Amino acid sequence: MSNEQNSSQDEDLYAIHNRLFFRVFQLGNTLDRQSAKELGVSPVHWAVLGALSREKVREGMSFSDLTEYLGVSRQNLDGVLKRLERDDYVIRFADQADRRAKKVILTPLGFEFWEQLQLKIYEFYRQAMEGFMFDDKATFVHFLNKLNAGMNNASLQPSDQKK
């Protein structure tokens, strides 16, 4: 293959990558706008409430585990939790095993709010995914997981400078 063919293929690959990542960016913005408009909560608030509503964390979840689970920064999560605390949907408290560590728990009002959101969320999902067959949805999840893993593994530092 000639250098000219390689260059053309590289340009095509760059263009499709650029389009794909731009669409992911647009998708995030649309989710942000539509969830606020239709559900009255931001996607990150929605995600925090959902994470804390799971049966296995009914007794609370450490702040650190919650940041890992959601893939958000400590600073972003702190801001979200402050608003949820103001609304009396969550409480932060010291972990009994490690008093320096904070845990987060959904309050009864938080559970009630989460339960009230469920029918709206289900309908939001149904409408957003209209036109997708079940196999399309499963494949889409698979590819999103692959993209997320690829982004998490991306590093522009030379291998000798990685920590």
Side-chain angles (χ1 to χ4, degrees):
M1 196 177 297
S2 73
N3 283 343
E4 190 174 296
Q5 285 175 316
N6 279 340
S7 177
S8 176
Q9 285 180 335
D10 287 346
E11 288 173 19
D12 291 344
L13 194 55
Y14 175 79
I16 195 70
H17 288 169
N18 192 50
R19 181 173 292 160
L20 175 66
F21 277 85
F22 182 69
R23 292 292 183 240
V24 169
F25 170 77
Q26 284 182 316
L27 188 65
N29 288 329
T30 301
L31 177 60
D32 231 17
R33 186 177 53 254
Q34 285 299 99
S35 71
K37 177 182 163 192
E38 300 298 329
L39 300 169
V41 296
S42 72
V44 70
H45 287 88
W46 173 1
V48 169
L49 293 168
L52 294 173
S53 72
R54 297 172 302 138
E55 189 64 40
K56 69 186 214 175
V57 296
R58 289 287 166 112
E59 300 302 316
M61 186 173 189
S62 80
F63 184 86
S64 294
D65 287 348
L66 190 53
T67 60
E68 276 297 309
Y69 183 75
L70 296 172
V72 297
S73 72
R74 296 179 69 81
Q75 294 81 3
N76 286 345
L77 182 59
D78 184 59
V80 170
L81 290 177
K82 283 179 181 169
R83 175 153 183 235
L84 292 173
E85 285 173 316
R86 270 196 321 266
D87 293 340
D88 198 28
Y89 294 154
V90 302
I91 296 173
R92 284 189 257 195
F93 61 96
D95 188 331
Q96 296 302 315
D98 180 358
R99 303 293 290 170
R100 297 168 299 162
K102 292 286 185 191
K103 289 184 89 170
V104 185
I105 192 168
L106 210 53
T107 65
L109 186 61
F111 274 110
E112 185 180 315
F113 180 69
W114 178 248
E115 287 302 316
Q116 290 171 359
L117 274 178
Q118 292 309 292
L119 286 176
K120 285 182 177 180
I121 290 171
Y122 176 81
E123 183 59 17
F124 185 84
Y125 288 158
R126 190 192 66 70
Q127 289 181 27
M129 298 301 291
E130 214 164 49
F132 284 77
M133 302 301 293
F134 180 83
D135 289 349
D136 296 336
K137 295 171 190 179
T139 301
F140 193 41
V141 168
H142 169 74
F143 286 126
L144 288 173
N145 287 339
K146 284 182 77 165
L147 178 58
N148 195 43
M151 287 191 303
N152 281 325
N153 291 327
S155 174
L156 302 182
Q157 297 177 3
S159 59
D160 62 334
Q161 290 182 2
K162 291 180 185 176
K163 292 181 181 180

